[in-house]
Amino acid sequence: MGQIDGSRIGRWLDGEVGMGEALGLSIDAEALRRQAAALYAAGKWSECIVAVDAATTAGGQGPYDALMLCRCYDEIGEPGIAEAWASVANESLAAIDRVLGGRR
Amino acid sequence: MKLQGLRGVDLDRISRANDQILDLANKQKAHAQNLDTGKVQVPDADPFQAILLQELDRPGSRFAGQKLDHLRKATAEEVKLAWQLAQKLGQLDGTLYHAMQEAKRLDKLSGADVTASGAQLEYHARLEVIRRIDVVLEGMVLLSAVLPDFPKDELENLRKAFDVDMKALTDTFGSSVAMRAPISAPKTSWGDWFEDPNPNALPQSKALVMGSLDTIEGAAAAIGALANDPALAKSLERIADRLGDRAGEYRALLAAYAVLLDEATSAPDYAGGAGSGDHRQQYRSRQIGGYASRNRQDASRTTLVRPLERLSKERDPIAALSEALVDGFVREVGVPPHVARDWHADPGAVVLALDGETFVPLRALNERIERWVPIGYDGAGQTLVRELTQAVVEGRYFDWRCSHGASADQLAFLDEGQKQKWLAPISIEVDAKTKGEPVKVRTTEAHADLGIFWATKVGGPSHGFDTMTNCALSLVTNARNTAILVHDPRWPNVAGRAYLRLLALDGSREPVLFLEGMHLDFPYRGHKASLEKACILHAIEKAKAMGVRLSLSESLAPLVDEMKLEGKWDNQRFVLARAALIEAASVFGQHDWVQLGEEVRMMKKAQFFVGV
C-alpha cells in the first residue's frame, strides 16, 4: 500500500468510493460480490459472509448484501445477527422496489 | 439597513413539494413501462436475482411472501440505478428541508436592523440557503422523470428574493461581506516561511532523455543495456551502414525506441493496481511501480525487443522500426491493438509524445479511467481517453482538445479574436523573493505543450492522472481549463500550478476568467507568495489580452491585499458549458462530477473581480 491519499479518504467518507479505492488497494469489489453469490449458492455460509464483508469494505454496500448476510447468519446459527440484517434488507429492498415502481 | 425578506415567495408551496419528495420515496407507483411491456427481460444469469427470488419464495425465509413486484422483474442494471436513486431522494429531501427551515427563520427576521458587524453573517446565511437550493435544483434535473410537477420556479423566486437582500448588504457594507473568511481575521501572507529550493534533495533522475541519445551508437547502446543484450546493440549499429542519408531518421527513431523501452520497463503497472507518486521526480527516478510492476515490465521488455532482433533482416528497417515504435507505444500505454487498428498514428508524433514524457500519464489514463468514472457511465471514460490517445499519436492532440463538441461549446462564450487569445499561451517573468541571489520565476500555460499531462502532478494531489484519474480529464480534455505553471530556474520540475478557467456569468453570459488558488510541487520549499503573485499577474495579462474580466479565488485574498488590487468581492453564479465528460473543480463545492449538459453553479467561496 502506498501513501494515504486524503482526497480519496474524503470521498470514502462521503460514501462515493469504497475503502479499497480510498486506500489505493487493487480489489475488485464486484468480483468479490460475484464470489459471494457463488459461495451462497454452494451453501458455504461462513465463507460467503467473509466475501460480502470484503466486497462491502472494498466497494461500498450493494443492494443484496443484507439479504445474503441475513440467510448466512441464520444458517450458521446466529439468529440475532440475522434478524438485524433482515431489518436492513427489508428497508433496502423496499426502497429499491419503490423507486423501480416510480420510474416511467 | 433593513432587509426585504421573501416577499411574494410561497414557502408553503415549496414545503409541500418537499413532502412530495418524501412521499415519493415511500409510495409505490405504476410499474416501469419497459418492464410492463416486457421490453426488458430478466437475465437468467444474474446470480443476485436468483438469490432474491429464492429468498422470497423459500418456505421459512425471513422474506417469504413479500411482494416486491418491481424488484422481482428488474434487471441487475435497473436495480443498481434504483439503489442509487433511492439514496439520492433521501439526500434531496434533507437538503431541501434544511433550506426551508433556514429560509423561514430568515424571513421572520427580515425588517430587523442589520449592523455592520452582523452583515457578513446575514449575507452568508442567505447564501447558504441559495447553495442548498442549487443542490436541490441540480438533483431535480436528474429526478424530473419521477417528480414532474416540482415547483422549480418557486425555488428560483426564493433565490432571487435573497439575491436582492444580498446585493443590498454588499452595497451598504462593502463587497468584503461576500467573503467567507472572517473579515476581521489578519491577512497573513503565505510568505512567512520559506527556504531556497534545493534540487539536490530530490531523488536523482534515472530516465533516458531523448536529447542525450544524439548518436546511433548511443541509442543502440542504451537499447542493448535495457535489453541486457550487447550483441543487439552491435546489430542495431550495423544497420545504419546501409541507410545512407536516411541515417539521421534512423537515429531519431532508435532514440525514441530506447526511451520507449526505458519507460515500459520501469513504468507502474496500473492495470495491475500500481500506486501513485507525489511528484514527478519520483517517476523520473523510477521509484513508482514497485515489485508489483516487475512482471509487466519484464513482459514489456521481451515484447519490445523482439522486433529489434528482426530489424537487421528487414528490407526497409526504417519502416519496420517506425511500425514497431508506433505499435509498441500504443500497446504499452494500454490500448489494445484491435482498438487502434484504424488509427493513423504518425511515428513523428510518437517520437514527440515520448520526448514529452507522456508515456506514464497516458498509461494511467487508459488503464485507470474505468475505475474512476462513476457507475452508470461505464465505457464513457475509456472511449474519451482512447480518443485522446489517438489524437496524441496522430499528432493532433491540441487541435482535438479545443475542437471536439464539448470544447467548442465551452469556447462559444468568446468571439473569434478572444478565442485565439485564450488558446495562445503567454508567459511572463516575475521577481521571486529569495534568501540568496535574485531569481525571476517564469510562467507558462499548461496547454502550451505536452507537459499538460504532468500539470496535474504538481501538488494537489487529487487531480493527478494516477490518483483520481477522472479528475485529470478536467484539464486534458476541456478547452475551458488550463493551468498557469510557474517555473523556478533552481527547480527541475514545475514549481507551482494554478487552474485558470474560462467561465461565463449567469444571465449575461459574459465570459470571465477565474483563477484558482495555487498548488506547490510537494517537495518545493520556495517562496509561495512570489509564485502566487506571478500567477495573478499572468492571469491579469491574459484577461487584458482577451478583453474579459478576471475573478480570483478567495484563497488568494492575502495577495489581493498585498498587491493592492482594485476590484470587488462577489458570489456570482457561473455558467459551465458541458464538459467532455468530467469536470473537477472543487471551488464549485463538488470535487468532481460527470457534466454532460450546461450547468449554472455557485462557488463555495467568494470571488474577487479584478478591475482590469
Side-chain angles (χ1 to χ4, degrees), chain B residues 32-79:
Chain B
Q33 199 179 1
N34 58 347
L35 292 173
D36 280 347
T37 53
K39 281 181 188 165
V40 178
Q41 299 296 323
V42 178
D44 297 334
D46 180 7
F48 301 104
Q49 192 76 8
I51 290 172
L52 173 75
L53 297 178
Q54 185 189 343
E55 284 306 301
L56 295 181
D57 299 333
R58 184 174 62 86
S61 160
R62 291 176 188 271
F63 306 93
Q66 288 198 22
K67 281 182 72 183
L68 301 176
D69 287 342
H70 310 299
L71 190 54
R72 282 172 188 266
K73 294 182 190 174
T75 63
E77 190 57 30
E78 285 176 318
V79 171

Short mmCIF file of all heavy atoms in Angstrom, two decimals, chain B residues 32-79:
data_model
loop_
_atom_site.label_atom_id
_atom_site.label_comp_id
_atom_site.label_asym_id
_atom_site.label_seq_id
_atom_site.Cartn_x
_atom_site.Cartn_y
_atom_site.Cartn_z
N ALA B 32 -42.76 0.30 -13.96
CA ALA B 32 -41.99 0.90 -15.06
C ALA B 32 -42.47 0.33 -16.40
O ALA B 32 -42.65 -0.87 -16.53
CB ALA B 32 -40.52 0.61 -14.86
N GLN B 33 -42.62 1.26 -17.35
CA GLN B 33 -43.25 0.89 -18.61
C GLN B 33 -42.48 -0.22 -19.34
O GLN B 33 -43.06 -1.17 -19.85
CB GLN B 33 -43.32 2.12 -19.50
CG GLN B 33 -44.34 1.96 -20.60
CD GLN B 33 -44.40 3.23 -21.44
OE1 GLN B 33 -43.69 4.18 -21.21
NE2 GLN B 33 -45.27 3.20 -22.42
N ASN B 34 -41.20 -0.11 -19.28
CA ASN B 34 -40.42 -1.10 -20.03
C ASN B 34 -40.54 -2.50 -19.45
O ASN B 34 -40.45 -3.49 -20.16
CB ASN B 34 -38.95 -0.69 -20.16
CG ASN B 34 -38.31 -0.50 -18.82
OD1 ASN B 34 -39.00 -0.42 -17.81
ND2 ASN B 34 -37.00 -0.42 -18.80
N LEU B 35 -40.79 -2.57 -18.14
CA LEU B 35 -40.99 -3.88 -17.54
C LEU B 35 -42.37 -4.41 -17.88
O LEU B 35 -42.55 -5.58 -18.20
CB LEU B 35 -40.82 -3.79 -16.02
CG LEU B 35 -39.39 -3.50 -15.54
CD1 LEU B 35 -39.38 -3.27 -14.05
CD2 LEU B 35 -38.46 -4.63 -15.92
N ASP B 36 -43.35 -3.50 -17.83
CA ASP B 36 -44.72 -3.90 -18.12
C ASP B 36 -44.86 -4.44 -19.53
O ASP B 36 -45.57 -5.41 -19.78
CB ASP B 36 -45.67 -2.70 -17.96
CG ASP B 36 -46.00 -2.46 -16.50
OD1 ASP B 36 -45.68 -3.35 -15.68
OD2 ASP B 36 -46.55 -1.40 -16.18
N THR B 37 -44.20 -3.74 -20.45
CA THR B 37 -44.36 -4.14 -21.85
C THR B 37 -43.45 -5.31 -22.21
O THR B 37 -43.44 -5.76 -23.35
CB THR B 37 -44.05 -2.96 -22.78
OG1 THR B 37 -42.75 -2.46 -22.41
CG2 THR B 37 -45.09 -1.87 -22.65
N GLY B 38 -42.67 -5.74 -21.23
CA GLY B 38 -41.81 -6.89 -21.47
C GLY B 38 -40.61 -6.58 -22.35
O GLY B 38 -39.99 -7.47 -22.91
N LYS B 39 -40.30 -5.27 -22.48
CA LYS B 39 -39.16 -4.91 -23.34
C LYS B 39 -37.85 -5.38 -22.71
O LYS B 39 -36.86 -5.60 -23.40
CB LYS B 39 -39.11 -3.40 -23.54
CG LYS B 39 -40.10 -2.91 -24.57
CD LYS B 39 -39.97 -1.42 -24.74
CE LYS B 39 -41.09 -0.89 -25.63
NZ LYS B 39 -41.23 0.54 -25.55
N VAL B 40 -37.84 -5.43 -21.41
CA VAL B 40 -36.62 -5.83 -20.72
C VAL B 40 -36.84 -7.20 -20.10
O VAL B 40 -37.83 -7.42 -19.42
CB VAL B 40 -36.27 -4.80 -19.62
CG1 VAL B 40 -35.03 -5.24 -18.87
CG2 VAL B 40 -36.09 -3.43 -20.22
N GLN B 41 -35.95 -8.09 -20.37
CA GLN B 41 -36.05 -9.43 -19.81
C GLN B 41 -35.05 -9.59 -18.67
O GLN B 41 -33.96 -9.05 -18.73
CB GLN B 41 -35.74 -10.48 -20.89
CG GLN B 41 -36.68 -10.45 -22.08
CD GLN B 41 -38.12 -10.78 -21.72
OE1 GLN B 41 -38.37 -11.63 -20.87
NE2 GLN B 41 -39.06 -10.10 -22.34
N VAL B 42 -35.46 -10.31 -17.68
CA VAL B 42 -34.52 -10.57 -16.58
C VAL B 42 -33.49 -11.58 -17.07
O VAL B 42 -33.85 -12.66 -17.53
CB VAL B 42 -35.26 -11.15 -15.36
CG1 VAL B 42 -34.27 -11.44 -14.25
CG2 VAL B 42 -36.33 -10.19 -14.91
N PRO B 43 -32.21 -11.24 -17.00
CA PRO B 43 -31.21 -12.20 -17.47
C PRO B 43 -31.13 -13.39 -16.52
O PRO B 43 -31.06 -13.22 -15.32
CB PRO B 43 -29.91 -11.40 -17.46
CG PRO B 43 -30.15 -10.23 -16.57
CD PRO B 43 -31.62 -10.00 -16.50
N ASP B 44 -31.16 -14.58 -17.11
CA ASP B 44 -31.15 -15.78 -16.27
C ASP B 44 -29.87 -15.88 -15.45
O ASP B 44 -29.84 -16.47 -14.39
CB ASP B 44 -31.23 -17.04 -17.17
CG ASP B 44 -32.56 -17.05 -17.92
OD1 ASP B 44 -33.52 -16.45 -17.41
OD2 ASP B 44 -32.61 -17.65 -19.00
N ALA B 45 -28.80 -15.27 -16.01
CA ALA B 45 -27.50 -15.49 -15.40
C ALA B 45 -27.24 -14.61 -14.18
O ALA B 45 -26.21 -14.74 -13.55
CB ALA B 45 -26.42 -15.24 -16.44
N ASP B 46 -28.16 -13.72 -13.85
CA ASP B 46 -27.88 -12.82 -12.73
C ASP B 46 -27.99 -13.57 -11.40
O ASP B 46 -29.10 -13.92 -10.97
CB ASP B 46 -28.86 -11.64 -12.77
CG ASP B 46 -28.60 -10.68 -11.61
OD1 ASP B 46 -27.59 -10.88 -10.91
OD2 ASP B 46 -29.41 -9.77 -11.41
N PRO B 47 -26.88 -13.83 -10.74
CA PRO B 47 -26.95 -14.67 -9.53
C PRO B 47 -27.68 -13.98 -8.38
O PRO B 47 -28.27 -14.64 -7.54
CB PRO B 47 -25.47 -14.90 -9.18
CG PRO B 47 -24.74 -13.76 -9.81
CD PRO B 47 -25.51 -13.38 -11.03
N PHE B 48 -27.64 -12.66 -8.37
CA PHE B 48 -28.29 -11.94 -7.26
C PHE B 48 -29.81 -12.01 -7.38
O PHE B 48 -30.52 -12.11 -6.40
CB PHE B 48 -27.80 -10.50 -7.21
CG PHE B 48 -26.32 -10.41 -7.04
CD1 PHE B 48 -25.50 -10.09 -8.09
CD2 PHE B 48 -25.74 -10.70 -5.81
CE1 PHE B 48 -24.14 -10.05 -7.94
CE2 PHE B 48 -24.37 -10.66 -5.64
CZ PHE B 48 -23.56 -10.33 -6.71
N GLN B 49 -30.28 -11.94 -8.63
CA GLN B 49 -31.71 -12.06 -8.86
C GLN B 49 -32.17 -13.45 -8.40
O GLN B 49 -33.22 -13.60 -7.78
CB GLN B 49 -32.00 -11.89 -10.37
CG GLN B 49 -33.46 -11.71 -10.68
CD GLN B 49 -33.92 -10.30 -10.34
OE1 GLN B 49 -33.11 -9.46 -10.00
NE2 GLN B 49 -35.22 -10.07 -10.38
N ALA B 50 -31.34 -14.44 -8.68
CA ALA B 50 -31.68 -15.81 -8.27
C ALA B 50 -31.77 -15.90 -6.75
O ALA B 50 -32.68 -16.53 -6.21
CB ALA B 50 -30.63 -16.77 -8.81
N ILE B 51 -30.83 -15.25 -6.06
CA ILE B 51 -30.84 -15.27 -4.59
C ILE B 51 -32.10 -14.59 -4.08
O ILE B 51 -32.77 -15.07 -3.16
CB ILE B 51 -29.57 -14.58 -4.04
CG1 ILE B 51 -28.35 -15.45 -4.33
CG2 ILE B 51 -29.71 -14.30 -2.55
CD1 ILE B 51 -27.02 -14.79 -4.01
N LEU B 52 -32.43 -13.45 -4.68
CA LEU B 52 -33.62 -12.71 -4.26
C LEU B 52 -34.87 -13.58 -4.40
O LEU B 52 -35.65 -13.74 -3.46
CB LEU B 52 -33.77 -11.43 -5.09
CG LEU B 52 -35.07 -10.68 -4.85
CD1 LEU B 52 -35.04 -9.94 -3.52
CD2 LEU B 52 -35.36 -9.71 -5.98
N LEU B 53 -35.04 -14.17 -5.59
CA LEU B 53 -36.24 -14.96 -5.85
C LEU B 53 -36.31 -16.17 -4.92
O LEU B 53 -37.37 -16.51 -4.40
CB LEU B 53 -36.28 -15.40 -7.32
CG LEU B 53 -36.37 -14.24 -8.33
CD1 LEU B 53 -36.34 -14.77 -9.76
CD2 LEU B 53 -37.62 -13.40 -8.11
N GLN B 54 -35.15 -16.75 -4.69
CA GLN B 54 -35.10 -17.90 -3.78
C GLN B 54 -35.56 -17.50 -2.38
O GLN B 54 -36.36 -18.19 -1.74
CB GLN B 54 -33.66 -18.41 -3.74
CG GLN B 54 -33.47 -19.67 -2.94
CD GLN B 54 -31.98 -20.00 -2.76
OE1 GLN B 54 -31.12 -19.50 -3.46
NE2 GLN B 54 -31.69 -20.87 -1.81
N GLU B 55 -35.07 -16.34 -1.91
CA GLU B 55 -35.42 -15.91 -0.56
C GLU B 55 -36.88 -15.47 -0.45
O GLU B 55 -37.50 -15.62 0.60
CB GLU B 55 -34.50 -14.76 -0.13
CG GLU B 55 -33.11 -15.21 0.25
CD GLU B 55 -33.12 -16.31 1.32
OE1 GLU B 55 -33.67 -16.07 2.42
OE2 GLU B 55 -32.62 -17.42 1.05
N LEU B 56 -37.42 -14.95 -1.52
CA LEU B 56 -38.82 -14.51 -1.47
C LEU B 56 -39.77 -15.70 -1.49
O LEU B 56 -40.88 -15.62 -0.97
CB LEU B 56 -39.13 -13.57 -2.65
CG LEU B 56 -38.39 -12.23 -2.66
CD1 LEU B 56 -38.82 -11.40 -3.87
CD2 LEU B 56 -38.64 -11.44 -1.39
N ASP B 57 -39.31 -16.79 -2.09
CA ASP B 57 -40.21 -17.93 -2.25
C ASP B 57 -39.89 -19.09 -1.31
O ASP B 57 -40.67 -20.03 -1.19
CB ASP B 57 -40.15 -18.43 -3.71
CG ASP B 57 -40.60 -17.33 -4.67
OD1 ASP B 57 -41.39 -16.48 -4.23
OD2 ASP B 57 -40.15 -17.31 -5.83
N ARG B 58 -38.76 -19.09 -0.66
CA ARG B 58 -38.34 -20.24 0.17
C ARG B 58 -39.15 -20.29 1.46
O ARG B 58 -39.21 -19.30 2.19
CB ARG B 58 -36.84 -20.07 0.49
CG ARG B 58 -36.23 -21.21 1.27
CD ARG B 58 -34.71 -21.02 1.40
NE ARG B 58 -34.36 -19.82 2.14
CZ ARG B 58 -34.26 -19.75 3.47
NH1 ARG B 58 -34.50 -20.80 4.21
NH2 ARG B 58 -33.92 -18.61 4.06
N PRO B 59 -39.77 -21.42 1.73
CA PRO B 59 -40.51 -21.53 2.99
C PRO B 59 -39.55 -21.34 4.18
O PRO B 59 -38.45 -21.87 4.17
CB PRO B 59 -41.06 -22.96 2.97
CG PRO B 59 -40.96 -23.41 1.57
CD PRO B 59 -39.84 -22.67 0.94
N GLY B 60 -39.96 -20.57 5.13
CA GLY B 60 -39.11 -20.36 6.31
C GLY B 60 -38.19 -19.16 6.18
O GLY B 60 -37.54 -18.75 7.14
N SER B 61 -38.09 -18.61 4.98
CA SER B 61 -37.23 -17.43 4.80
C SER B 61 -37.84 -16.24 5.53
O SER B 61 -39.06 -16.12 5.64
CB SER B 61 -37.11 -17.11 3.31
OG SER B 61 -36.69 -15.79 3.14
N ARG B 62 -36.99 -15.37 6.02
CA ARG B 62 -37.49 -14.17 6.70
C ARG B 62 -38.17 -13.22 5.70
O ARG B 62 -38.78 -12.25 6.10
CB ARG B 62 -36.33 -13.43 7.37
CG ARG B 62 -35.75 -14.17 8.56
CD ARG B 62 -34.55 -13.42 9.09
NE ARG B 62 -33.84 -14.18 10.12
CZ ARG B 62 -34.13 -14.12 11.42
NH1 ARG B 62 -35.09 -13.34 11.85
NH2 ARG B 62 -33.44 -14.84 12.29
N PHE B 63 -37.98 -13.50 4.42
CA PHE B 63 -38.55 -12.60 3.39
C PHE B 63 -39.71 -13.26 2.63
O PHE B 63 -40.21 -12.71 1.66
CB PHE B 63 -37.47 -12.18 2.40
CG PHE B 63 -36.27 -11.59 3.08
CD1 PHE B 63 -35.18 -12.39 3.43
CD2 PHE B 63 -36.25 -10.25 3.42
CE1 PHE B 63 -34.09 -11.86 4.09
CE2 PHE B 63 -35.16 -9.72 4.08
CZ PHE B 63 -34.07 -10.52 4.43
N ALA B 64 -40.07 -14.48 3.08
CA ALA B 64 -41.08 -15.24 2.36
C ALA B 64 -42.38 -14.46 2.28
O ALA B 64 -42.81 -13.84 3.25
CB ALA B 64 -41.32 -16.58 3.05
N GLY B 65 -42.97 -14.47 1.11
CA GLY B 65 -44.29 -13.85 0.95
C GLY B 65 -44.25 -12.37 0.60
O GLY B 65 -45.29 -11.78 0.29
N GLN B 66 -43.09 -11.76 0.64
CA GLN B 66 -43.04 -10.33 0.28
C GLN B 66 -43.30 -10.19 -1.22
O GLN B 66 -42.82 -10.99 -2.01
CB GLN B 66 -41.67 -9.74 0.62
CG GLN B 66 -41.47 -9.58 2.11
CD GLN B 66 -40.35 -8.61 2.41
OE1 GLN B 66 -40.00 -7.78 1.58
NE2 GLN B 66 -39.80 -8.70 3.59
N LYS B 67 -44.03 -9.12 -1.55
CA LYS B 67 -44.39 -8.98 -2.97
C LYS B 67 -43.20 -8.46 -3.79
O LYS B 67 -42.70 -9.12 -4.66
CB LYS B 67 -45.60 -8.04 -3.12
CG LYS B 67 -46.91 -8.75 -2.79
CD LYS B 67 -48.08 -7.83 -2.98
CE LYS B 67 -48.33 -7.59 -4.46
NZ LYS B 67 -49.41 -6.64 -4.70
N LEU B 68 -42.80 -7.23 -3.51
CA LEU B 68 -41.67 -6.60 -4.23
C LEU B 68 -41.77 -6.87 -5.74
O LEU B 68 -40.81 -7.34 -6.38
CB LEU B 68 -40.33 -7.11 -3.68
CG LEU B 68 -40.06 -6.86 -2.19
CD1 LEU B 68 -38.75 -7.51 -1.76
CD2 LEU B 68 -39.99 -5.36 -1.90
N ASP B 69 -42.94 -6.60 -6.29
CA ASP B 69 -43.21 -6.96 -7.68
C ASP B 69 -42.21 -6.36 -8.67
O ASP B 69 -41.81 -6.99 -9.64
CB ASP B 69 -44.62 -6.49 -8.07
CG ASP B 69 -45.68 -7.35 -7.42
OD1 ASP B 69 -45.32 -8.47 -6.97
OD2 ASP B 69 -46.84 -6.91 -7.32
N HIS B 70 -41.87 -5.10 -8.41
CA HIS B 70 -40.98 -4.42 -9.37
C HIS B 70 -39.57 -5.01 -9.31
O HIS B 70 -38.94 -5.21 -10.32
CB HIS B 70 -40.94 -2.92 -9.06
CG HIS B 70 -42.31 -2.33 -8.93
ND1 HIS B 70 -43.21 -2.36 -9.96
CD2 HIS B 70 -42.93 -1.74 -7.87
CE1 HIS B 70 -44.34 -1.79 -9.55
NE2 HIS B 70 -44.19 -1.42 -8.29
N LEU B 71 -39.15 -5.25 -8.10
CA LEU B 71 -37.81 -5.78 -7.91
C LEU B 71 -37.67 -7.18 -8.51
O LEU B 71 -36.64 -7.53 -9.08
CB LEU B 71 -37.49 -5.80 -6.41
CG LEU B 71 -36.06 -6.09 -5.98
CD1 LEU B 71 -35.07 -5.15 -6.66
CD2 LEU B 71 -35.92 -5.93 -4.47
N ARG B 72 -38.74 -7.98 -8.39
CA ARG B 72 -38.70 -9.33 -8.94
C ARG B 72 -38.40 -9.32 -10.44
O ARG B 72 -37.76 -10.22 -10.96
CB ARG B 72 -40.06 -10.03 -8.75
CG ARG B 72 -40.31 -10.56 -7.35
CD ARG B 72 -41.74 -11.04 -7.25
NE ARG B 72 -42.11 -11.40 -5.89
CZ ARG B 72 -42.04 -12.63 -5.41
NH1 ARG B 72 -41.60 -13.61 -6.16
NH2 ARG B 72 -42.40 -12.88 -4.17
N LYS B 73 -38.90 -8.28 -11.13
CA LYS B 73 -38.76 -8.28 -12.60
C LYS B 73 -37.60 -7.44 -13.10
O LYS B 73 -37.33 -7.40 -14.29
CB LYS B 73 -40.05 -7.72 -13.23
CG LYS B 73 -41.26 -8.59 -13.01
CD LYS B 73 -42.44 -7.94 -13.72
CE LYS B 73 -43.76 -8.60 -13.36
NZ LYS B 73 -44.89 -7.88 -13.93
N ALA B 74 -36.95 -6.73 -12.19
CA ALA B 74 -35.94 -5.76 -12.65
C ALA B 74 -34.64 -6.44 -13.05
O ALA B 74 -34.29 -7.50 -12.53
CB ALA B 74 -35.67 -4.76 -11.55
N THR B 75 -33.94 -5.79 -13.98
CA THR B 75 -32.62 -6.28 -14.37
C THR B 75 -31.60 -5.80 -13.34
O THR B 75 -31.86 -4.89 -12.56
CB THR B 75 -32.20 -5.73 -15.73
OG1 THR B 75 -32.11 -4.31 -15.61
CG2 THR B 75 -33.19 -6.09 -16.82
N ALA B 76 -30.43 -6.41 -13.40
CA ALA B 76 -29.37 -6.02 -12.46
C ALA B 76 -29.03 -4.54 -12.63
O ALA B 76 -28.81 -3.83 -11.64
CB ALA B 76 -28.13 -6.88 -12.72
N GLU B 77 -29.02 -4.08 -13.86
CA GLU B 77 -28.67 -2.69 -14.13
C GLU B 77 -29.73 -1.75 -13.54
O GLU B 77 -29.41 -0.72 -12.94
CB GLU B 77 -28.55 -2.47 -15.65
CG GLU B 77 -27.97 -1.14 -16.07
CD GLU B 77 -26.59 -0.88 -15.49
OE1 GLU B 77 -25.82 -1.83 -15.24
OE2 GLU B 77 -26.30 0.30 -15.26
N GLU B 78 -30.99 -2.13 -13.68
CA GLU B 78 -32.06 -1.31 -13.12
C GLU B 78 -32.00 -1.27 -11.61
O GLU B 78 -32.22 -0.23 -10.99
CB GLU B 78 -33.42 -1.85 -13.59
CG GLU B 78 -33.72 -1.52 -15.03
CD GLU B 78 -35.02 -2.14 -15.50
OE1 GLU B 78 -35.28 -3.30 -15.15
OE2 GLU B 78 -35.77 -1.46 -16.20
N VAL B 79 -31.68 -2.40 -11.01
CA VAL B 79 -31.57 -2.43 -9.54
C VAL B 79 -30.44 -1.50 -9.09
O VAL B 79 -30.58 -0.75 -8.14
CB VAL B 79 -31.31 -3.88 -9.05
CG1 VAL B 79 -30.98 -3.89 -7.57
CG2 VAL B 79 -32.52 -4.75 -9.33
#
